[in-house]
Amino acid sequence: MLKIIVRSRSDASAVKHALAKLYGAGGYEVISLGGLRGGKLLETLCEELSKRDAYIVALLGREDITGDTTCPHMSPLATIMVMSKRKVRNARQHEIISAINAGKSMIRSTVTWDSRRRIYRIGKCEGCYDLPYPKDEVSDPFLIHGDGVRKLSKVLGREIRGSLLLVRRWAGEHIVFVKGESAFRIRFGDDPGRPILVLEERKVKAGYLEGIDFASVTEGNREVMEVMKDISVRYLRNLGGGSDNVVVPVSGGKDSAASLALAVSAFGSKNVTAVYVDTGVDFMSNREVVEKLAKKLSVRLVTVEAPVGTLLREGRKPFPTHDDRWCTKLKQKALKEFLNGLHGTTTVIVGDREVESRGRSHAPYVRREGRFTYLYPIKHWSTIVVQIFNRLMGLPENPLYWEGFYRIGCYVCPSLRSWEIYVLLNSAGRIERYVSDVKLFEMFRHGLRKS
């Protein structure tokens, strides 16, 4: 899935040691260019960077190459990182890892504006405009669409026509783009009375915010998405092939939907089982989407229960908090009990993405626990990539995304921000469309206000 290119064998040895310490084995490879120098080095490097078989980071020392390092036909899933040390092998392991992570973040977070086609493109492309936001490990571009646009329009006090690109930063901060230009810097806060704080507003020529057509963005990125799909499918087959069972935990969210579709592409629908953990406080649309997804992909669906809702209603547990996510432990326990009941070896395909947290960015590409192998096929994907892939695959979408949600969980989740509360209370349908126990939700919401 990940390919690191270095100039010499000594550099390759240093990089392999650093990666093995962080990730263990599997999911990546390190390529040496055999000590080439000068023009021949650049020629061979550009040839390697034009390949579309992996996410490629070329790691060079400052003396490895001089002058222009532009490669005319470089893959949109490749980048060049030049370290401050004279040679890569002179760097400390944490410096090597930092440079590789910076390269991965550059590839994952880059979205450009194609002014000719009036669409956003995944990665760099010829004639496209590089959007002005940091391409680091926290930036996560995504499209807000549907009724979420109407709600955002109401809060901002500006008419919005079409879907908008937002780039999620940290602490709820987002950058809003209009036709490739930064228009707002906003924060999804924690104050239920003010779901969005406008931190900065830049002058927009029109009296309204002109968005883009989601369908055009989807179709315009079909080619690069086929490449990314192929990379993930090869990764799954190489590391998960031969298992007696293939299991994909599904939640009703976009990431697990994409992971399930990739698993089916890799192993076939008859060999894949989807598992849904019902907490009793999931949004009602979650289960509906999971059932539609399983039918669409012709996979077996198993539902197991984690008694989160029961414990809350009986007063035996307090609402989960950031410091005490006991609900997550119950979900993990229910899933583990199901896995332990299977015979033989099992590949578990998980929809974790690096951009979601620092812990996930440092997680291995493959994790083995006895007869279980855990794989992460969308590890390198941004949210907009998941959105486009799911649309290209024709997968059912949770209506909460259409309402304006960024992520899907349960309605007593401590990660729910005031924006998502606002979205629920102003949904196109009544709140009962999504929340099975409104009284419990109101108790949870009241607790948020007090805290």
Side-chain angles (χ1 to χ4, degrees), residues 204-306:
V204 179
K205 294 178 182 178
Y208 58 88
L209 303 183
E210 184 179 353
I212 46 86
D213 177 51
F214 203 152
S216 297
V217 174
T218 299
E219 187 58 38
N221 284 281
R222 180 181 292 274
E223 183 180 348
V224 70
M225 284 310 313
E226 286 296 332
V227 173
M228 298 179 81
K229 176 186 175 183
D230 288 346
I231 291 172
S232 293
V233 168
R234 282 198 306 272
Y235 156 81
L236 290 175
R237 287 174 178 166
N238 289 340
L239 294 171
S243 291
D244 298 306
N245 311 288
V246 177
V247 173
V248 184
V250 290
S251 64
K254 58 187 180 300
D255 295 341
S256 62
S259 299
L260 183 61
L262 290 168
V264 169
S265 295
F267 304 114
S269 59
K270 293 182 179 179
N271 301 309
V272 176
T273 298
V275 181
Y276 173 61
V277 181
D278 187 352
T279 65
V281 285
D282 282 14
F283 290 110
M284 294 165 66
S285 57
N286 293 7
R287 185 167 190 147
E288 296 169 5
V289 170
V290 163
E291 291 173 348
K292 290 178 182 178
L293 181 65
K295 184 177 181 180
K296 166 77 177 179
L297 297 175
S298 301
V299 300
R300 173 183 174 232
L301 174 63
V302 174
T303 299
V304 296
E305 295 185 359

Side-chain angles (χ1 to χ4, degrees), residues 142 144 148 151 155 168 172 174 187-192 194-196 254 283 322 400-401 403-427 431 434-435 441 444-445 448:
F142 67 98
I144 187 168
K151 297 181 182 77
V155 173
R168 183 175 68 94
H174 292 67
R187 173 170 289 140
F188 294 106
D190 294 318
D191 180 357
R194 300 182 65 189
I196 289 181
K254 58 187 180 300
F283 290 110
H322 289 291
L400 282 170
Y401 292 127
E403 296 280 7
F405 268 53
Y406 168 80
R407 58 175 297 278
I408 303 296
C410 65
Y411 54 81
V412 294
C413 180
S415 295
L416 279 180
R417 289 192 172 273
S418 57
W419 166 254
E420 290 159 327
I421 301 293
Y422 174 83
V423 165
L424 278 175
L425 296 178
N426 292 272
S427 59
I431 191 171
Y434 298 108
V435 176
F441 172 70
F444 167 73
R445 193 162 70 93
L448 286 180

